[in-house]
Amino acid sequence: MRCLTHPLLRKLLSLPAQCVPGLGTPRKGAVLSPKQLFLRQSCSAGPGLVTATDMVNYWQKVFETNGIPEARESSQYIVSFVLGAKTSLDSKSLHTPLTALQQEQIQQLSHKRLQRMPVQYVLGEWDFQELTLQMRPPVFIPRPETEDLVSLVVEEELQKCENSALCFPVPVPHPVILEIGCGSGAIALSLLCKLPQSRVIAMDKEEAAVDLTRENAHRLQLQERIHIIHQDISHSSAKQLLLWGPIDVIVSNPPYVFHEDMASLDEEILCYEDLDALDGGDDGMRVIKTILALAPSLLKVSGSVFLEVDPRHPDMVEHWLQAHPELLLTLHAIHKDFCGKPRFLHIQKQSS
Amino acid sequence: MNVPGLFHFAFSLRAVQAPPWAGWVLRKQQLSLPSLPLLQAARKRNSLNLLELSEAELEEQFVRGDGPGGQATNKTNNCVVLKHIPSGIVVKCHQTRSVEKNRKIAREILQEKVDLFYKGEDSDVFKEKKTSEKQKQEKKRRAKENLERKKLFKEMQQLDKE
């Protein structure tokens, strides 16, 4: 398991042994097989017959007993998934007896969840805006907040078009977008869908992420409009990224967790996700600064950088930009996420 | 959401129970730009002429807990609870695995319920429901008639044979 070898994890000695699947102490709490449990009590559909409701309730109890967070949600997602639904089932599906195969599938997936595997990796897929994307450890799982980052970019592009009085009818935006740290491809592919005339250059320093983005792009038939590069932004020159000319928008959800906060992240994250996708260094700004330093040589005039950041970063970024006036970048706006936290920065390149 | 429950919902939802989840964070949202497209989508949908909702009248809740959010959290509960403050109507939506979609759907459903609440039988929602109920009843009546006709036909055939 990858988490065994990660250098950060070795340093975080306080991690419990059960973080590593297959090693260490067995999980606390008895895990009865559904058959054993159901033989003892008659199920809602009659003795010996197991329904989806029974399964959801059963696995919820097992997860709770074993200290698995979001016990009910996890159980609902797994059972719904096996029955071909997303979040919940209609009343017919809830009360129809499950086949032996379905029970087996639920059991297999639930056992992964018992290992604290994130639900998105257990199911192998997750939704982001209108898209269903494949998910695979250790590629970073898109967070719900990031859906708003996509909306911000789309709004900006639509606004730019409306503002330009150059031609009638109102032109359709066709921006060239660069995404830094594409992960599963969530942001890049959402933008391609919402801005049908756009093109995206997506890069990630991890090969697994590049592969997964490519896979998701193919599944969505978007491969013609996306160029995916296996590249580390810290070792990139502007020239390498200007294959389609100057860029309209740079978008990124860069690693922005403060290094000192990494150790307090949930087991699900620490054991399964790529920690390099999270750790932003001492002040969480390492990759943010790298992106902003490179931005002026990549962007068109009035081009934008959209970043998702930690709520502490807006002030820090503003000060940093003021301390680097040669970059000609200004903090145009700070947007809140759906929990009311300052989360998104809109930075613009001024004309010299 | 259950359409048949629409009538009962609008009038019984005022007594809002505290949700069973732990870690509720209630926020009075001063919603920023991304929400505008959400409401616009609700308005444009269908040809129904519904009362418009303004974000200032809405109160939204998410089960995110007090945690840091963003990258530092990986919670899968994307349930949205949306309240229309003036009427007290609350809508819960967990239909999809996307928070943004749930927010959009919650607004659509809330808009219908609020319209129904204030307009009663004048609401397009009510009228549409009435129409579809009538159509269902018509279908049933016709199906019943057809069955009776077939029965009668068979009986007459039997008589002819004898």
Side-chain angles (χ1 to χ4, degrees):
Chain A
M1 189 63 219
R2 221 189 149 270
C3 74
L4 236 191
T5 57
H6 197 286
L8 177 62
L9 226 52
R10 270 190 249 119
K11 287 182 199 167
L12 301 172
L13 299 168
S14 58
L15 281 178
Q18 66 230 40
C19 159
V20 182
L23 265 188
T25 55
R27 303 217 73 92
K28 63 180 196 291
V31 181
L32 290 172
S33 78
K35 279 196 190 137
Q36 287 172 315
L37 186 67
F38 292 127
L39 282 171
R40 292 187 194 182
Q41 59 199 78
S42 58
C43 315
S44 49
L49 293 172
V50 180
T51 66
T53 310
D54 296 328
M55 272 292 185
V56 170
N57 293 336
Y58 171 76
W59 283 108
Q60 179 188 344
K61 281 205 184 71
V62 172
F63 292 149
E64 278 166 357
T65 311
N66 287 274
I68 307 295
E70 296 197 301
R72 176 130 195 116
E73 290 86 345
S74 301
S75 163
Q76 284 246 291
Y77 281 128
I78 288 170
V79 174
S80 299
F81 177 78
V82 167
L83 272 92
K86 295 273 178 148
T87 63
S88 53
L89 301 163
D90 57 50
S91 100
K92 184 178 172 210
S93 306
L94 281 174
H95 298 111
T96 309
L98 298 176
T99 65
L101 178 64
Q102 285 169 330
Q103 291 179 50
E104 173 68 32
Q105 286 170 334
I106 292 169
Q107 186 151 348
Q108 276 180 10
L109 296 179
S110 298
H111 274 234
K112 288 185 182 173
R113 184 68 189 116
L114 275 173
Q115 305 292 321
R116 299 295 293 263
M117 183 183 274
V119 168
Q120 300 93 332
Y121 289 152
V122 169
L123 304 183
E125 66 170 43
W126 199 244
D127 294 340
F128 184 81
Q129 297 223 329
E130 311 292 323
L131 308 177
T132 299
L133 301 167
Q134 297 298 291
M135 295 285 137
R136 206 156 47 228
V139 181
F140 180 78
I141 296 165
R143 307 307 200 233
E145 285 89 341
T146 312
E147 290 183 323
D148 278 345
L149 179 63
V150 171
S151 298
L152 283 171
V153 175
V154 172
E155 279 304 300
E156 168 70 6
E157 284 307 299
L158 292 176
Q159 199 70 59
K160 267 203 301 209
C161 257
E162 281 179 18
N163 289 345
S164 76
L166 290 175
C167 45
F168 180 84
V170 176
V172 171
H174 51 278
V176 173
I177 300 170
L178 170 66
E179 186 191 352
I180 299 166
C182 53
S184 56
I187 297 171
L189 300 171
S190 283
L191 286 172
L192 285 174
C193 286
K194 298 216 160 184
L195 298 167
Q197 301 303 316
S198 65
R199 282 174 296 161
V200 172
I201 301 163
M203 63 187 285
D204 204 291
K205 72 178 183 64
E206 289 303 323
E207 200 169 343
V210 167
D211 289 343
L212 187 58
T213 297
R214 199 165 276 140
E215 186 182 320
N216 280 322
H218 276 268
R219 278 174 173 265
L220 295 166
Q221 291 291 290
L222 292 168
Q223 68 275 16
E224 300 296 314
R225 296 165 51 209
I226 185 171
H227 184 79
I228 309 168
I229 320 176
H230 181 198
Q231 181 94 348
D232 187 338
I233 190 67
S234 312
H235 308 134
S236 297
S237 68
K239 204 168 146 205
Q240 293 167 305
L241 302 172
L242 289 171
L243 53 147
W244 284 339
I247 289 160
D248 292 280
V249 178
I250 297 172
V251 63
S252 183
N253 179 18
Y256 60 70
V257 177
F258 287 55
H259 183 74
E260 66 197 4
D261 295 334
M262 291 292 293
S264 57
L265 299 182
D266 284 344
E267 226 173 281
E268 278 82 0
I269 300 173
L270 290 174
C271 288
Y272 291 91
E273 286 192 291
D274 180 3
L275 300 183
D276 281 353
L278 291 148
D279 192 339
D282 284 338
D283 58 0
M285 294 259 288
R286 191 175 49 83
V287 182
I288 293 171
K289 287 176 188 168
T290 308
I291 294 172
L292 293 176
L294 201 55
S297 54
L298 294 169
L299 285 173
K300 290 179 182 171
V301 172
S302 300
S304 295
V305 183
F306 282 94
L307 297 174
E308 181 181 317
V309 297
D310 181 280
R312 286 165 285 183
H313 283 149
D315 286 344
M316 293 163 69
V317 169
E318 192 164 36
H319 291 142
W320 190 82
L321 287 176
Q322 283 164 356
H324 293 86
E326 73 282 2
L327 293 176
L328 293 174
L329 296 173
T330 44
L331 180 56
H332 177 77
I334 303 165
H335 296 278
K336 294 183 183 162
D337 64 24
F338 62 84
C339 293
K341 298 188 170 131
R343 183 67 66 186
F344 307 109
L345 302 181
H346 178 183
I347 293 147
Q348 271 193 316
K349 175 174 171 177
Q350 303 157 236
S351 46
S352 35
Chain B
M1 295 298 263
N2 253 340
V3 175
L6 206 65
F7 289 98
H8 305 293
F9 263 56
F11 300 95
S12 65
L13 271 173
R14 253 161 317 147
V16 178
Q17 302 256 345
W21 303 293
W24 272 103
V25 183
L26 187 78
R27 299 204 185 280
K28 278 215 166 81
Q29 289 294 336
Q30 188 55 353
L31 293 160
S32 55
L33 189 62
S35 304
L36 286 182
L38 296 178
L39 268 185
Q40 279 162 9
R43 253 178 260 134
K44 285 177 193 161
R45 194 184 58 84
N46 294 345
S47 49
L48 299 182
N49 185 17
L50 303 178
L51 286 172
E52 284 182 8
L53 299 177
S54 92
E55 288 292 334
E57 296 176 325
L58 302 181
E59 209 169 71
E60 215 169 9
Q61 289 176 13
F62 308 91
V63 182
R64 300 295 286 168
D66 270 321
Q71 288 175 0
T73 309
N74 185 22
K75 296 292 178 208
T76 58
N77 189 317
N78 292 329
C79 184
V80 176
V81 176
L82 193 60
K83 180 177 177 183
H84 181 243
I85 303 165
S87 63
I89 296 172
V90 177
V91 153
K92 190 164 87 174
C93 180
H94 193 194
Q95 283 186 28
T96 78
R97 298 186 299 205
S98 151
V99 162
E100 204 185 78
K101 278 178 90 169
N102 286 343
R103 293 178 79 191
K104 282 189 183 143
I105 295 168
R107 278 159 176 77
E108 287 170 11
I109 297 169
L110 185 65
Q111 191 179 24
E112 285 188 356
K113 294 189 180 206
V114 168
D115 192 79
L116 199 61
F117 178 75
Y118 285 118
K119 291 191 193 164
E121 291 187 3
D122 285 334
S123 162
D124 279 357
V125 180
F126 181 86
K127 291 174 186 167
E128 198 180 60
K129 178 91 207 288
K130 257 268 148 95
T131 317
S132 86
E133 263 182 15
K134 263 191 175 160
Q135 285 171 342
K136 267 192 192 161
Q137 281 178 355
E138 252 313 291
K139 249 186 160 175
K140 269 190 178 163
R141 192 185 61 81
R142 256 181 254 140
K144 199 176 170 193
E145 270 180 18
N146 278 335
L147 269 173
E148 308 250 304
R149 238 178 264 145
K150 282 184 184 164
K151 240 171 127 183
L152 198 64
F153 188 68
K154 272 197 173 153
E155 282 171 13
M156 287 177 75
Q157 277 192 319
Q158 285 288 84
L159 288 172
D160 282 342
K161 282 183 187 163
E162 287 163 10

